[in-house]
Amino acid sequence: VFEEVGYFSEDTKHSGEDYEFAQRVSRRYKCFYNPNAIVYHKPRGSIYGVFKWFIRRGNSEVSIMNIDKSYYWRHLWWLLKTSMILKLILIYFLFLVLNINLLAGFLALIIIYWLFQASKYRFYYRYYPEKGIALILPAVKLVMDIGIEIGKIDSIFRWWRKKLTLN
């Protein structure tokens, strides 16, 4: 596989080399999902370490579009579709149109987000049976999501600034 599609790209500055490699492999081969596979990542040591790592992940999600132009538009659509900022803006306008109290509406959204994340990652409780993990895990996921958004915004502004200076 490596000989046919090449190795991990060195053009990925922050991370995302595995994603970009998988895109190239899946064009030629079928990729299979193994629901029993578990990936262990290096612990980041602190919530700030997690935050910094996900800012870099957000940066890579934007910069990876420039590596292979063949999936540029599809990846751009995915970035827009998964953007927390765009979703919050849409929800904000929906609250305004429906005349929903913003504070109450966003508090309800935070609770729904918390419950959704706790449910989505319930498999995690098998590996970490401590009671407090149910409270901590959604908070860490929120930090991860915010970090990715900040990384995306940072990369978009850097790209935009670079374009303006070239013109």
Side-chain angles (χ1 to χ4, degrees):
V1 172
F2 283 106
E3 289 175 4
E4 281 189 41
V5 299
Y7 295 96
F8 287 107
S9 173
E10 293 187 21
D11 294 332
T12 54
K13 295 179 182 117
H14 306 287
S15 70
E17 63 281 347
D18 53 346
Y19 171 79
E20 190 274 331
F21 178 74
Q23 289 291 321
R24 286 186 280 131
V25 170
S26 64
R27 287 188 194 129
R28 295 178 184 221
Y29 300 101
K30 277 189 171 184
C31 290
F32 294 95
Y33 169 71
N34 181 348
N36 297 319
I38 298 171
V39 177
Y40 293 96
H41 290 278
K42 173 186 146 194
R44 299 290 165 210
S46 70
I47 200 74
Y48 181 68
V50 170
F51 182 66
K52 281 181 15 183
W53 169 247
F54 277 87
I55 287 175
R56 288 192 2 234
R57 292 268 313 266
N59 277 299
S60 75
E61 286 185 12
V62 173
S63 64
I64 205 165
M65 291 186 338
N66 299 316
I67 293 172
D68 187 346
K69 300 296 183 193
S70 66
Y71 54 84
Y72 178 87
W73 292 108
R74 184 174 44 139
H75 191 73
L76 179 63
W77 172 246
W78 178 81
L79 284 174
L80 293 172
K81 188 172 70 171
T82 60
S83 171
M84 179 188 281
I85 299 288
L86 290 179
K87 289 175 186 171
L88 288 173
I89 290 169
L90 288 172
I91 289 169
Y92 172 77
F93 283 112
L94 183 65
F95 284 178
L96 289 178
V97 168
L98 297 175
N99 201 24
I100 296 173
N101 179 289
L102 292 178
L103 181 61
F106 279 110
L107 283 175
L109 276 178
I110 290 170
I111 292 169
I112 291 168
Y113 177 87
W114 205 276
L115 292 172
F116 175 75
Q117 295 302 333
S119 171
K120 182 178 176 184
Y121 293 101
R122 67 185 172 276
F123 72 89
Y124 203 78
Y125 308 131
R126 279 186 291 181
Y127 304 102
Y128 293 97
E130 294 87 6
K131 301 286 184 226
I133 201 76
L135 294 173
I136 294 169
L137 190 61
V140 172
K141 180 64 174 118
L142 182 61
V143 168
M144 291 161 56
D145 289 346
I146 291 169
I148 284 178
E149 287 299 309
I150 289 172
K152 288 180 194 176
I153 291 167
D154 176 55
S155 284
I156 289 167
F157 276 116
R158 277 194 272 140
W159 171 83
W160 186 48
R161 196 170 41 235
K162 186 177 175 182
K163 285 279 192 190
L164 289 176
T165 57
L166 292 176
N167 291 333

Short mmCIF file of all heavy atoms in Angstrom, two decimals, residues 94-132:
data_model
loop_
_atom_site.label_atom_id
_atom_site.label_comp_id
_atom_site.label_asym_id
_atom_site.label_seq_id
_atom_site.Cartn_x
_atom_site.Cartn_y
_atom_site.Cartn_z
N LEU A 94 -32.23 31.36 15.10
CA LEU A 94 -33.44 30.59 15.34
C LEU A 94 -34.11 31.03 16.64
O LEU A 94 -35.32 31.21 16.69
CB LEU A 94 -33.12 29.09 15.37
CG LEU A 94 -34.30 28.14 15.54
CD1 LEU A 94 -35.21 28.22 14.32
CD2 LEU A 94 -33.80 26.72 15.73
N PHE A 95 -33.31 31.22 17.69
CA PHE A 95 -33.84 31.71 18.96
C PHE A 95 -34.49 33.08 18.79
O PHE A 95 -35.54 33.36 19.35
CB PHE A 95 -32.75 31.81 20.02
CG PHE A 95 -32.33 30.49 20.61
CD1 PHE A 95 -31.31 30.44 21.54
CD2 PHE A 95 -32.93 29.29 20.25
CE1 PHE A 95 -30.91 29.24 22.12
CE2 PHE A 95 -32.55 28.08 20.80
CZ PHE A 95 -31.53 28.06 21.74
N LEU A 96 -33.84 33.94 18.00
CA LEU A 96 -34.40 35.28 17.76
C LEU A 96 -35.73 35.20 17.02
O LEU A 96 -36.70 35.87 17.39
CB LEU A 96 -33.42 36.15 16.97
CG LEU A 96 -32.18 36.62 17.71
CD1 LEU A 96 -31.27 37.42 16.78
CD2 LEU A 96 -32.53 37.44 18.94
N VAL A 97 -35.77 34.38 15.98
CA VAL A 97 -37.00 34.24 15.18
C VAL A 97 -38.13 33.64 16.01
O VAL A 97 -39.27 34.09 15.93
CB VAL A 97 -36.73 33.38 13.92
CG1 VAL A 97 -38.01 32.98 13.24
CG2 VAL A 97 -35.81 34.12 12.96
N LEU A 98 -37.80 32.65 16.84
CA LEU A 98 -38.82 31.98 17.65
C LEU A 98 -39.07 32.69 18.98
O LEU A 98 -39.86 32.21 19.80
CB LEU A 98 -38.43 30.53 17.91
CG LEU A 98 -38.33 29.64 16.67
CD1 LEU A 98 -37.83 28.26 17.03
CD2 LEU A 98 -39.66 29.57 15.95
N ASN A 99 -38.37 33.80 19.19
CA ASN A 99 -38.52 34.61 20.41
C ASN A 99 -38.24 33.78 21.68
O ASN A 99 -38.97 33.86 22.66
CB ASN A 99 -39.92 35.24 20.46
CG ASN A 99 -39.95 36.44 21.36
OD1 ASN A 99 -38.92 37.07 21.61
ND2 ASN A 99 -41.12 36.76 21.87
N ILE A 100 -37.16 33.01 21.63
CA ILE A 100 -36.73 32.20 22.77
C ILE A 100 -35.71 33.00 23.55
O ILE A 100 -34.79 33.60 22.97
CB ILE A 100 -36.13 30.86 22.30
CG1 ILE A 100 -37.20 30.02 21.60
CG2 ILE A 100 -35.50 30.09 23.45
CD1 ILE A 100 -36.68 28.75 20.96
N ASN A 101 -35.84 33.01 24.86
CA ASN A 101 -34.88 33.69 25.72
C ASN A 101 -33.49 33.11 25.46
O ASN A 101 -33.28 31.90 25.58
CB ASN A 101 -35.28 33.50 27.18
CG ASN A 101 -34.32 34.16 28.13
OD1 ASN A 101 -33.19 33.69 28.29
ND2 ASN A 101 -34.76 35.23 28.76
N LEU A 102 -32.54 33.98 25.10
CA LEU A 102 -31.20 33.51 24.71
C LEU A 102 -30.48 32.78 25.84
O LEU A 102 -29.89 31.73 25.62
CB LEU A 102 -30.36 34.69 24.22
CG LEU A 102 -30.80 35.32 22.91
CD1 LEU A 102 -29.91 36.51 22.57
CD2 LEU A 102 -30.76 34.31 21.79
N LEU A 103 -30.53 33.34 27.04
CA LEU A 103 -29.82 32.71 28.16
C LEU A 103 -30.43 31.33 28.46
O LEU A 103 -29.70 30.34 28.57
CB LEU A 103 -29.88 33.60 29.40
CG LEU A 103 -29.17 33.06 30.63
CD1 LEU A 103 -27.68 32.87 30.35
CD2 LEU A 103 -29.37 33.98 31.81
N ALA A 104 -31.73 31.26 28.55
CA ALA A 104 -32.39 29.98 28.83
C ALA A 104 -32.14 28.98 27.69
O ALA A 104 -31.88 27.79 27.93
CB ALA A 104 -33.89 30.19 29.04
N GLY A 105 -32.20 29.47 26.46
CA GLY A 105 -31.98 28.60 25.30
C GLY A 105 -30.58 28.02 25.27
O GLY A 105 -30.39 26.82 25.05
N PHE A 106 -29.58 28.87 25.53
CA PHE A 106 -28.20 28.39 25.50
C PHE A 106 -27.89 27.51 26.70
O PHE A 106 -27.10 26.56 26.60
CB PHE A 106 -27.21 29.53 25.34
CG PHE A 106 -27.08 29.97 23.90
CD1 PHE A 106 -27.57 31.19 23.48
CD2 PHE A 106 -26.48 29.14 22.96
CE1 PHE A 106 -27.46 31.58 22.16
CE2 PHE A 106 -26.37 29.51 21.64
CZ PHE A 106 -26.86 30.73 21.23
N LEU A 107 -28.49 27.78 27.84
CA LEU A 107 -28.31 26.87 28.99
C LEU A 107 -28.89 25.50 28.67
O LEU A 107 -28.28 24.47 29.00
CB LEU A 107 -28.96 27.45 30.24
CG LEU A 107 -28.19 28.57 30.94
CD1 LEU A 107 -29.01 29.15 32.09
CD2 LEU A 107 -26.85 28.07 31.45
N ALA A 108 -30.06 25.49 28.04
CA ALA A 108 -30.66 24.21 27.63
C ALA A 108 -29.76 23.49 26.63
O ALA A 108 -29.58 22.27 26.70
CB ALA A 108 -32.04 24.44 27.03
N LEU A 109 -29.16 24.25 25.71
CA LEU A 109 -28.25 23.64 24.73
C LEU A 109 -27.02 23.04 25.40
O LEU A 109 -26.56 21.96 25.01
CB LEU A 109 -27.79 24.69 23.72
CG LEU A 109 -28.72 24.94 22.55
CD1 LEU A 109 -28.17 26.03 21.66
CD2 LEU A 109 -28.95 23.68 21.76
N ILE A 110 -26.48 23.72 26.40
CA ILE A 110 -25.32 23.18 27.11
C ILE A 110 -25.68 21.87 27.81
O ILE A 110 -24.92 20.90 27.75
CB ILE A 110 -24.77 24.22 28.12
CG1 ILE A 110 -24.12 25.37 27.35
CG2 ILE A 110 -23.79 23.58 29.09
CD1 ILE A 110 -23.75 26.56 28.21
N ILE A 111 -26.85 21.81 28.42
CA ILE A 111 -27.29 20.58 29.08
C ILE A 111 -27.48 19.46 28.06
O ILE A 111 -27.05 18.32 28.28
CB ILE A 111 -28.57 20.84 29.90
CG1 ILE A 111 -28.25 21.75 31.09
CG2 ILE A 111 -29.20 19.53 30.37
CD1 ILE A 111 -29.46 22.29 31.81
N ILE A 112 -28.11 19.79 26.93
CA ILE A 112 -28.32 18.79 25.88
C ILE A 112 -26.97 18.30 25.34
O ILE A 112 -26.77 17.10 25.14
CB ILE A 112 -29.20 19.36 24.75
CG1 ILE A 112 -30.63 19.55 25.27
CG2 ILE A 112 -29.18 18.48 23.52
CD1 ILE A 112 -31.52 20.36 24.35
N TYR A 113 -26.05 19.24 25.11
CA TYR A 113 -24.71 18.88 24.63
C TYR A 113 -24.03 17.94 25.63
O TYR A 113 -23.45 16.93 25.24
CB TYR A 113 -23.87 20.16 24.45
CG TYR A 113 -22.44 19.90 24.04
CD1 TYR A 113 -22.10 19.77 22.69
CD2 TYR A 113 -21.42 19.78 24.98
CE1 TYR A 113 -20.79 19.53 22.31
CE2 TYR A 113 -20.11 19.54 24.61
CZ TYR A 113 -19.80 19.42 23.27
OH TYR A 113 -18.50 19.18 22.90
N TRP A 114 -24.12 18.29 26.90
CA TRP A 114 -23.49 17.49 27.96
C TRP A 114 -24.06 16.06 27.97
O TRP A 114 -23.31 15.10 28.00
CB TRP A 114 -23.74 18.17 29.31
CG TRP A 114 -22.72 17.83 30.33
CD1 TRP A 114 -22.68 16.73 31.14
CD2 TRP A 114 -21.56 18.58 30.65
NE1 TRP A 114 -21.59 16.77 31.95
CE2 TRP A 114 -20.87 17.90 31.67
CE3 TRP A 114 -21.03 19.77 30.18
CZ2 TRP A 114 -19.69 18.36 32.21
CZ3 TRP A 114 -19.85 20.23 30.72
CH2 TRP A 114 -19.20 19.53 31.72
N LEU A 115 -25.38 15.98 27.92
CA LEU A 115 -26.02 14.66 27.93
C LEU A 115 -25.69 13.86 26.67
O LEU A 115 -25.45 12.65 26.73
CB LEU A 115 -27.54 14.81 28.09
CG LEU A 115 -28.01 15.35 29.43
CD1 LEU A 115 -29.51 15.65 29.40
CD2 LEU A 115 -27.67 14.38 30.55
N PHE A 116 -25.67 14.54 25.52
CA PHE A 116 -25.34 13.88 24.27
C PHE A 116 -23.92 13.31 24.32
O PHE A 116 -23.69 12.16 23.94
CB PHE A 116 -25.49 14.85 23.09
CG PHE A 116 -25.04 14.27 21.78
CD1 PHE A 116 -25.83 13.34 21.12
CD2 PHE A 116 -23.84 14.65 21.22
CE1 PHE A 116 -25.43 12.80 19.92
CE2 PHE A 116 -23.41 14.12 20.02
CZ PHE A 116 -24.20 13.18 19.37
N GLN A 117 -22.96 14.12 24.78
CA GLN A 117 -21.57 13.66 24.85
C GLN A 117 -21.41 12.52 25.85
O GLN A 117 -20.69 11.55 25.59
CB GLN A 117 -20.63 14.82 25.20
CG GLN A 117 -20.55 15.90 24.15
CD GLN A 117 -20.11 15.39 22.79
OE1 GLN A 117 -19.42 14.39 22.65
NE2 GLN A 117 -20.54 16.07 21.75
N ALA A 118 -22.08 12.63 26.99
CA ALA A 118 -22.00 11.56 27.99
C ALA A 118 -22.56 10.25 27.42
O ALA A 118 -22.01 9.17 27.65
CB ALA A 118 -22.76 11.96 29.25
N SER A 119 -23.63 10.35 26.63
CA SER A 119 -24.22 9.17 26.01
C SER A 119 -23.35 8.63 24.88
O SER A 119 -23.14 7.42 24.75
CB SER A 119 -25.61 9.52 25.49
OG SER A 119 -26.12 8.47 24.72
N LYS A 120 -22.83 9.54 24.06
CA LYS A 120 -22.02 9.15 22.91
C LYS A 120 -20.76 8.40 23.32
O LYS A 120 -20.34 7.46 22.65
CB LYS A 120 -21.65 10.41 22.12
CG LYS A 120 -20.85 10.17 20.87
CD LYS A 120 -20.60 11.50 20.18
CE LYS A 120 -19.72 11.34 18.97
NZ LYS A 120 -19.41 12.65 18.36
N TYR A 121 -20.16 8.80 24.42
CA TYR A 121 -18.92 8.18 24.89
C TYR A 121 -19.14 7.24 26.07
O TYR A 121 -18.23 7.00 26.85
CB TYR A 121 -17.90 9.27 25.23
CG TYR A 121 -17.45 10.02 24.00
CD1 TYR A 121 -17.98 11.26 23.70
CD2 TYR A 121 -16.54 9.44 23.12
CE1 TYR A 121 -17.60 11.93 22.55
CE2 TYR A 121 -16.16 10.11 21.98
CZ TYR A 121 -16.68 11.35 21.70
OH TYR A 121 -16.30 12.02 20.56
N ARG A 122 -20.32 6.66 26.15
CA ARG A 122 -20.62 5.78 27.28
C ARG A 122 -19.74 4.53 27.30
O ARG A 122 -19.51 3.96 28.34
CB ARG A 122 -22.10 5.43 27.30
CG ARG A 122 -22.56 4.58 26.16
CD ARG A 122 -24.08 4.38 26.17
NE ARG A 122 -24.52 3.72 24.98
CZ ARG A 122 -24.77 4.31 23.82
NH1 ARG A 122 -24.65 5.63 23.71
NH2 ARG A 122 -25.16 3.64 22.77
N PHE A 123 -19.21 4.11 26.13
CA PHE A 123 -18.30 2.97 26.11
C PHE A 123 -17.06 3.23 26.96
O PHE A 123 -16.44 2.31 27.46
CB PHE A 123 -17.87 2.65 24.66
CG PHE A 123 -16.91 3.66 24.08
CD1 PHE A 123 -15.54 3.50 24.23
CD2 PHE A 123 -17.39 4.77 23.40
CE1 PHE A 123 -14.66 4.43 23.70
CE2 PHE A 123 -16.52 5.70 22.87
CZ PHE A 123 -15.15 5.54 23.03
N TYR A 124 -16.71 4.48 27.10
CA TYR A 124 -15.52 4.88 27.85
C TYR A 124 -15.60 4.45 29.30
O TYR A 124 -14.59 4.17 29.93
CB TYR A 124 -15.40 6.41 27.75
CG TYR A 124 -14.01 6.95 27.95
CD1 TYR A 124 -13.08 6.86 26.93
CD2 TYR A 124 -13.64 7.54 29.15
CE1 TYR A 124 -11.80 7.37 27.09
CE2 TYR A 124 -12.37 8.06 29.32
CZ TYR A 124 -11.45 7.97 28.29
OH TYR A 124 -10.21 8.47 28.47
N TYR A 125 -16.81 4.38 29.81
CA TYR A 125 -17.00 4.06 31.23
C TYR A 125 -16.58 2.63 31.55
O TYR A 125 -16.31 2.31 32.70
CB TYR A 125 -18.45 4.31 31.64
CG TYR A 125 -18.92 5.71 31.27
CD1 TYR A 125 -20.12 5.90 30.61
CD2 TYR A 125 -18.14 6.83 31.54
CE1 TYR A 125 -20.54 7.17 30.26
CE2 TYR A 125 -18.55 8.10 31.19
CZ TYR A 125 -19.73 8.27 30.54
OH TYR A 125 -20.13 9.51 30.18
N ARG A 126 -16.50 1.75 30.54
CA ARG A 126 -16.00 0.40 30.76
C ARG A 126 -14.53 0.41 31.14
O ARG A 126 -14.06 -0.43 31.90
CB ARG A 126 -16.16 -0.45 29.49
CG ARG A 126 -17.54 -0.99 29.29
CD ARG A 126 -17.54 -1.90 28.11
NE ARG A 126 -17.33 -1.06 26.92
CZ ARG A 126 -17.29 -1.51 25.68
NH1 ARG A 126 -17.42 -2.78 25.45
NH2 ARG A 126 -17.12 -0.70 24.68
N TYR A 127 -13.78 1.37 30.57
CA TYR A 127 -12.35 1.42 30.79
C TYR A 127 -11.96 2.29 31.98
O TYR A 127 -10.90 2.11 32.56
CB TYR A 127 -11.65 1.93 29.53
CG TYR A 127 -12.00 1.10 28.33
CD1 TYR A 127 -12.94 1.54 27.40
CD2 TYR A 127 -11.44 -0.17 28.15
CE1 TYR A 127 -13.29 0.76 26.31
CE2 TYR A 127 -11.79 -0.95 27.06
CZ TYR A 127 -12.72 -0.48 26.15
OH TYR A 127 -13.07 -1.26 25.09
N TYR A 128 -12.83 3.25 32.30
CA TYR A 128 -12.60 4.14 33.44
C TYR A 128 -13.87 4.18 34.27
O TYR A 128 -14.72 5.04 34.09
CB TYR A 128 -12.23 5.55 32.96
CG TYR A 128 -10.91 5.60 32.27
CD1 TYR A 128 -10.83 5.55 30.89
CD2 TYR A 128 -9.72 5.67 33.00
CE1 TYR A 128 -9.61 5.59 30.24
CE2 TYR A 128 -8.50 5.70 32.37
CZ TYR A 128 -8.45 5.66 30.98
OH TYR A 128 -7.24 5.69 30.36
N PRO A 129 -14.03 3.24 35.21
CA PRO A 129 -15.29 3.13 35.95
C PRO A 129 -15.49 4.19 37.03
O PRO A 129 -16.53 4.20 37.69
CB PRO A 129 -15.22 1.73 36.54
CG PRO A 129 -13.77 1.45 36.67
CD PRO A 129 -13.10 2.17 35.53
N GLU A 130 -14.54 5.11 37.22
CA GLU A 130 -14.71 6.12 38.26
C GLU A 130 -15.98 6.93 38.00
O GLU A 130 -16.30 7.26 36.87
CB GLU A 130 -13.50 7.08 38.30
CG GLU A 130 -12.20 6.42 38.72
CD GLU A 130 -11.46 5.79 37.54
OE1 GLU A 130 -11.90 5.96 36.40
OE2 GLU A 130 -10.48 5.09 37.78
N LYS A 131 -16.67 7.27 39.07
CA LYS A 131 -17.95 7.99 38.94
C LYS A 131 -17.80 9.37 38.31
O LYS A 131 -18.64 9.81 37.56
CB LYS A 131 -18.61 8.12 40.32
CG LYS A 131 -18.89 6.80 40.99
CD LYS A 131 -20.06 6.12 40.34
CE LYS A 131 -20.38 4.84 41.09
NZ LYS A 131 -20.59 3.72 40.26
N GLY A 132 -16.74 10.09 38.61
CA GLY A 132 -16.57 11.46 38.13
C GLY A 132 -16.31 11.58 36.65
O GLY A 132 -16.43 12.67 36.08
#
